[in-house]
């Protein structure tokens, strides 16, 4: 008789063991010749060596399934231990699975294009209106790369432009002041990674969320790096960010040209970067539009209304400029 300890590394043990330990009890019933004790993320098993090998293979397959789909049920346990493919594994276009086990898939042609460009290029610019899924899709791709061990960490960043001089008046330390501006990134991660695992990743700096100013001086290796709300960077900031790229790193830059919060006298770094980097080998550009919006149907109507307003404003300004010019000529 031998004894082994199996450590569950990439999953939330609560999901793996099941509510009231129903999953681990079922696994024990399927391996009656072994003595199995599960505590925290460690499974201690004692018994015959041959039976132990079969058990280890089954636990590894179950762990991989649980890590990919963020879920485990009795049907999947039976199928995997018997050597069959669970039905969920036959599903196609999912990038990752949410914490509820639902597949997160590209929901428009341009989101699918973003997924394909991510596979081809090391730097991607994803530009589109609010709700078009550019940031959410980018974070899903980053989580998939982390789960598949293609990259060692995820680094998410945003410029805290909206804070401006008011930042110092917010309560708390620097992290507490900055966190509200990074909340959309936390929200997306919480959809895709179980809470206990996300907390562990953040404590170990496997997932890092930081304002853009904190990127200066770093070299980012073996990572997926996402810069969100890049339309609010200055030319100096975005150049600084893009040159942080290290070995085996992919960068995704997202932005919405209609939501620039910089002072009118300040050029958006994203607009300048797109002009400068257009045509550079290894850099892809994906433009999303109002057809890609996957939020409430009112969001599409709001975007359309603002587009119409801005178009009318341009025409009015052009007409006024022409009238002024004509008056000058007459005088």
């Amino acid at each position: 008789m031998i004894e082994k300890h199996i450590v569950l590394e990439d999953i939330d043990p609560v999901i793996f063991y099941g509510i009231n330990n129903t999953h681990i009890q079922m696994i024990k019933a399927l391996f009656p010749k072994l003595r199995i004790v599960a505590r925290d993320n460690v499974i201690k098993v004692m018994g015959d060596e041959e039976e132990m090998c079969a058990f280890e293979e089954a636990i590894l397959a179950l762990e991989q399934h649980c890590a990919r789909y963020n879920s485990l049920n009795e049907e999947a346990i039976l199928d995997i231990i018997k050597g069959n493919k669970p039905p969920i594994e036959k599903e196609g276009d999912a990038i990752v699975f949410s914490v509820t086990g639902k597949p997160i898939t590209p929901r428009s042609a341009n989101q699918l294009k973003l997924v394909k460009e991510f596979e081809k290029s090391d730097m991607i610019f994803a530009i589109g209106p609010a709700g078009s899924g550019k940031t959410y899709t980018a974070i899903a791709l980053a989580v998939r790369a982390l789960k598949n061990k293609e990259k060692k960490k995820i680094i998410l960043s945003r410029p805290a432009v909206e804070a401006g001089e008011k930042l110092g008046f917010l309560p708390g330390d620097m992290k507490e002041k900055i966190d509200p501006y990074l909340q959309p990134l936390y929200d997306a991660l919480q959809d895709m990674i179980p809470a206990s695992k996300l907390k562990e990743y953040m404590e170990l700096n496997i997932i890092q969320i930081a304002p853009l100013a904190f990127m200066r001086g770093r070299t980012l290796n073996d990572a997926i790096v996402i810069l969100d709300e890049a339309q609010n960077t200055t030319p100096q900031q975005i150049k600084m960010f893009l040159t942080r790229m290290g070995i085996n790193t992919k960068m995704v830059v997202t932005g919405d040209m209609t939501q620039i919060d910089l002072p009118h006298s300040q050029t958006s770094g994203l607009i300048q970067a797109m002009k400068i980097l257009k045509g550079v080998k290894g850099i892809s550009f994906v433009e999303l539009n109002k057809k890609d919006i996957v939020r409430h149907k009112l969001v599409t109507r709001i975007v359309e209304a603002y587009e119409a307003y801005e178009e009318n404003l341009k025409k009015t300004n052009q007409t006024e400029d022409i009238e002024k010019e004509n008056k000058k000529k007459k005088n």
Side-chain angles (χ1 to χ4, degrees):
M1 183 179 285
I2 60 171
E3 179 180 316
K4 279 192 179 179
H5 291 79
I6 300 170
V7 180
L8 303 173
E9 293 182 345
D10 299 320
I11 57 170
D12 182 350
V14 175
I15 295 172
F16 190 86
Y17 297 151
I19 297 168
N20 296 324
N21 290 324
T22 51
H23 296 162
I24 197 69
Q25 293 302 332
M26 184 178 183
I27 293 166
K28 286 180 182 181
L30 291 167
F31 290 92
K33 294 179 183 177
L34 297 176
R35 187 181 170 199
I36 301 162
V37 179
R39 184 171 294 168
D40 297 326
N41 67 329
V42 179
I43 299 174
K44 185 170 80 171
V45 57
M46 290 170 283
D48 176 71
E49 188 172 357
E50 190 175 330
E51 188 82 359
M52 187 91 70
C53 287
F55 178 79
E56 278 189 288
E57 284 179 17
I59 292 297
L60 178 61
L62 289 168
E63 186 181 7
Q64 288 172 343
H65 177 93
C66 195
R68 173 155 171 71
Y69 301 108
N70 283 322
S71 66
L72 195 61
N73 56 41
E74 293 182 1
E75 186 184 359
I77 292 168
L78 275 172
D79 281 335
I80 289 168
I81 290 176
K82 288 178 180 177
N84 302 324
K85 266 196 172 184
I88 197 168
E89 291 190 7
K90 293 164 190 172
E91 294 185 10
D93 298 323
I95 304 169
V96 290
F97 286 76
S98 73
V99 291
T100 60
K102 282 180 63 178
I104 294 171
T105 60
R107 295 176 65 184
S108 70
N110 285 322
Q111 286 183 17
L112 182 59
K113 185 181 177 185
L114 175 54
V115 172
K116 290 180 177 176
E117 292 301 324
F118 182 86
E119 290 165 2
K120 289 194 296 185
S121 302
D122 286 338
M123 186 177 289
I124 304 99
F125 285 78
I127 313 303
S132 56
K134 53 193 183 296
T135 303
Y136 196 81
T137 303
I139 290 175
L141 290 164
V143 170
R144 182 180 71 179
L146 185 66
K147 285 191 170 191
N148 292 346
K149 300 192 186 324
E150 294 163 13
K151 300 289 184 274
K152 291 182 179 177
K153 56 193 170 188
I154 297 172
I155 299 168
L156 307 174
S157 188
R158 261 186 165 203
V161 169
E162 304 93 325
E165 293 177 356
K166 297 181 226 175
L167 196 61
F169 295 97
L170 292 172
D173 59 19
M174 182 56 77
K175 183 180 183 299
E176 289 168 334
K177 291 173 192 287
I178 291 294
D179 271 358
Y181 299 97
L182 304 173
Q183 192 58 48
L185 305 179
Y186 288 110
D187 291 343
L189 286 169
Q190 286 163 356
D191 275 357
M192 301 173 202
I193 301 173
S196 62
K197 200 67 196 173
L198 179 57
K199 184 182 177 187
E200 181 188 327
Y201 280 151
M202 296 190 77
E203 285 172 354
L204 295 172
N205 282 329
I206 292 169
I207 293 179
Q208 303 169 31
I209 303 179
L212 181 58
F214 290 15
M215 295 292 110
R216 189 172 296 280
R218 299 182 66 183
T219 301
L220 308 172
N221 295 320
D222 286 312
I224 303 291
V225 189
I226 298 172
L227 174 61
D228 192 33
E229 300 288 351
Q231 76 277 1
N232 287 328
T233 59
T234 65
Q236 295 80 13
Q237 284 176 327
I238 200 163
K239 182 183 175 186
M240 176 274 291
F241 173 81
L242 296 176
T243 53
R244 301 305 94 205
M245 192 174 192
I247 305 299
N248 193 34
T249 286
K250 279 182 183 278
M251 280 189 165
V252 183
V253 178
T254 71
D256 177 0
M257 298 304 195
T258 67
Q259 293 189 345
I260 297 173
D261 298 312
L262 295 166
H264 292 297
S265 59
Q266 180 70 67
T267 304
S268 167
L270 179 59
I271 293 173
Q272 188 188 79
M274 288 182 70
K275 288 177 184 174
I276 293 170
L277 301 175
K278 207 81 173 174
V280 173
K281 190 177 178 183
I283 300 178
S284 293
F285 296 85
V286 179
E287 291 194 22
L288 299 99
N289 54 52
K290 60 191 176 189
K291 290 180 182 176
D292 300 300
I293 293 174
V294 290
R295 290 182 183 166
H296 194 287
K297 58 187 176 184
L298 274 178
V299 176
T300 306
R301 294 175 196 165
I302 290 166
V303 170
E304 286 173 345
Y306 270 91
E307 284 178 355
Y309 171 78
E310 285 162 10
E311 193 61 38
N312 287 334
L313 197 62
K314 279 181 190 174
K315 287 177 183 176
T316 303
N317 290 339
Q318 285 170 358
T319 304
E320 288 175 356
D321 288 342
I322 291 167
E323 287 174 357
K324 285 177 185 176
E325 195 64 36
N326 289 337
K327 282 180 183 178
K328 282 181 184 178
K329 286 177 181 177
K330 284 177 184 178
N331 293 334

